[in-house]
Amino acid sequence: MKHIIQFSSFVSLLALAGTASAQGNNAATTIAADQPSQSETQDIIVTAQKRSERLQDAPLSINAASGAQLQSAGITNTDQLQKLVPGFTAEKTAFGNPVFFIRGIGFNDTTLGVSPAVSIYIDQQPLTYSPMARGAILDLERVEVLKGPQGTIFGQNSTGGAINYIAAKPTREVKAGFDLTYGRFNEVDAEAFLSAPIGETLSIRAAARKEYRDGWQTNYANGSTNGNTDFVNGRLSLKWEPMAAVSLLLTASGWRDRSDAQQPQLVQYTPLLTGPGANPVPFPIDTFPTAPRNPRAGSWGPNNDFRLDNWLYQFSGDLEADINDNLHLASLTSYARYHQRVPIDIDATIYPAAYSIGPGDIETFSQELRFNGKIGDAVAWMIGGNYKHDRVKETVIVDPLTTSGAALFGFPFSSFAIDNDQNVKSWGVFGSLDYHINEQFTLQGSARYTKEDRDYAGCSRDSGDGTLAASVSFLTGLLGNPQTVAPGGCVVLDNMANVQPIVRNQLNQDNVSFRTSLNWKPNRDTLVYANITKGYKSGSFPSLSGALLVQQFEPIGQESVLAYELGTKLALERKIQLSGAVFYYDYRDKQLLGTFVGAFGPLPALVSIPKTHVKGAELSLAFAPFSGLSLTLNGTHILTRVDRDPVNPTGPYGNPTSFVGHSFPLTPKWQGTADAQYRFPVSGALEAFVGTTITARTGTVSSLLSEDPAVAPLERLLEVPGYVLIDLRAGISSPDEQWRLEIWGRNVTNKYYSTGTSRIADFTTRFTGMPATFGATLKYRM
């Protein structure tokens, strides 16, 4: 209870700083001037095309949710957006970092310095790499999820989509508020904000969040616990408006996560190698019992430290100026630093078999300058450019390592490390043009040229204990070119069996992405659009476990997609909003998680698939049939297919195969969400509500599988079953939502489900979703 008292004091002090009269809850979406009643749907204003427009008028597939909706759904992290966004999927890699998918398009690689297929922004400022998004959900106005290839307007190319968080801005009136939550596992979350003017032209907004929770994972071998949450997040914004036509927004934000890293469950022990060359694995590692089907169950070594050391800080500036009535200037500048340490017990047993620490650092700078304007009433245009510079340093350390593959020709080693340093510079120029043919038809076009230069330096190396160095020294003798590798040294060999001190390489590529759209708007509440989009995702240098040859450090080139989409958006008497789309993606060089067979056996590796395609459809319905009742239904159907094999296609258990006709990993065919809420008056000063959210998806697989019946039982271990999750909520509030008290339950049926399955070394493991949780949230606004 002491945590409740401490956090209550924290939020109360910040809320009491506001001295203005009580304000109603500013719903995080922007509502049109003709405020709808409770029996009407609302007009949501979005900035997906870098201009303000109604969601109903944007010729893109977009899901938008207000900050209030995110809070009510218990969404505090990007990976939880699948509760509200159909077609969005979040998974965990084998080393604990998040990966995001939209319409089945994602990028499941464990390397820190690879560009994602789903890019993330805060107020159009990039969070270039997925782990940097941990603290994005704080004091938000709304979130916009853009589906399909992005890159013509947003600066970071992506083939899956983009997520743009819009933070609440400083106000000219004093506003303050807090949210305080207490839940299962002694969870205490507190968030508070204060916004106020501090002069005639300057205003400020401060927001902070603290998350605490006791461990929720239980070691089924010895009863110890894991999973504590210790997370703090903050943002400070200053808005200067020296004149009506000019504004400057300066923002400093940062977060730190010292929580316990979630640990995987053991699914099965299967040795990578057998026979004379295999490293003997001591009993009883190979007979350790697999995890029960309980979301809380896990197992880990008793002497390992699983506390994260992840943090980020970011400084950004947004200058907006109206040069005249028809010309607007925008300048976006951002600098961010990110650090991580993610410890994972790879073997998921209580024995010291395989323990990984993934320290890494990111430094990124970006600058965008753009102009947009109008020519009469028929033409709207935009032109601009951007520059981005990233430095990513990552080291994967596995120590100890006791697996069947930890030997070279029978010469064992006990640990290894991989260094992956990348220096990435990119720049681009872009433009867009909207031409209103008449009152009903609009033709849109946009394009961007992007040039990216990526320098790499790294290697596989001895971790410092000398065992891998001795193994490779022994190997060079067998190859007729004996050399001595020092402890901690690189162990990569060239074609002549010479040990390389470090591997250096470059990947310099460019591309032209574009989008063209024809829009028909017969009336205010109907839109039909047809889009053709060309998109790209950057190539990279993956961190490949077990790479001993210099050829294995070659980069994976960029992927490209040509996407076709036909969609419609309808509003009927302000009671029903319906949107739907059908789409087809034609891919080249798709980057998917496959398998590489090296000196230490079959290991996960990034592969480039020459030709693939995606086709699908989605439908969203918002319905307010009568006063107080609101219903939303969303569904997505996706079919993916590999059309042409990569070089040397290999199944996850090392067998040659063909992937033609197979689906993409981590791509459910069906996904859907449903939400219902009924709100009714209790008295003149009190209202009550009840609601539910249901999330469902069909099963998928976590890797490209083979067709070999000999390993089919093993490959079924890499399946990710479908699931249905049910959340419930009920509460009371003032009619103007100045205060709100809600009790809630999430995953109330305690459904057991997986958020990622992997095979690393001898161990097939999975991450599980959260068990049933329940609690209460108090919300207050001044």
Side-chain angles (χ1 to χ4, degrees), residues 408 467-477 483 485 491 493 499 548:
L408 282 173
T467 58
L468 181 57
S471 298
V472 173
S473 299
F474 175 75
L475 175 62
T476 61
Q483 297 164 76
V485 180
V491 293
L493 307 179
V499 177
L548 290 183

Side-chain angles (χ1 to χ4, degrees), residues 54 56 242 256 267 360 366 488 621 624 776:
R54 293 194 312 155
Q56 193 73 9
R256 184 166 188 176
V267 177
S366 68
L621 171 67

Side-chain angles (χ1 to χ4, degrees), residues 108-109 542-545 592-597 603-608 703:
N108 186 20
D109 187 74
S543 298
L544 184 61
S545 298
L592 293 177
L593 185 65
T595 303
F596 159 78
V597 179
L603 294 169
L606 195 64
V607 296
S608 181
S703 180

Side-chain angles (χ1 to χ4, degrees), residues 644-710:
R644 192 180 305 161
D645 275 323
V647 177
N648 299 322
T650 304
Y653 291 88
N655 47 308
T657 188
S658 173
F659 300 133
V660 173
H662 288 214
S663 300
F664 294 178
L666 301 174
T667 306
K669 289 184 178 180
W670 293 94
Q671 289 178 263
T673 64
D675 186 89
Q677 179 164 296
Y678 180 57
R679 187 179 182 90
F680 54 94
V682 177
S683 66
L686 187 65
E687 293 188 353
F689 62 90
V690 292
T692 183
T693 300
I694 301 174
T695 306
R697 55 183 266 187
T698 57
T700 181
V701 295
S702 62
S703 180
L704 287 168
L705 304 183
S706 71
E707 299 176 346
D708 188 344

Side-chain angles (χ1 to χ4, degrees), residues 19 37 47 68 101 122 136 197 208 291 308-309 316 377 398 424 433 443 492 532 536 615 630 640 650 681 684 709 751:
T19 57
S37 71
T47 54
F101 299 76
I122 296 182
L308 299 169
D309 184 13
S316 63
D377 295 329
V398 180
V424 187
L433 188 68
L443 182 64
V492 180
I532 301 176
Y536 292 84
K615 56 184 178 182
S630 60
T640 62
T650 304
K751 177 67 177 179

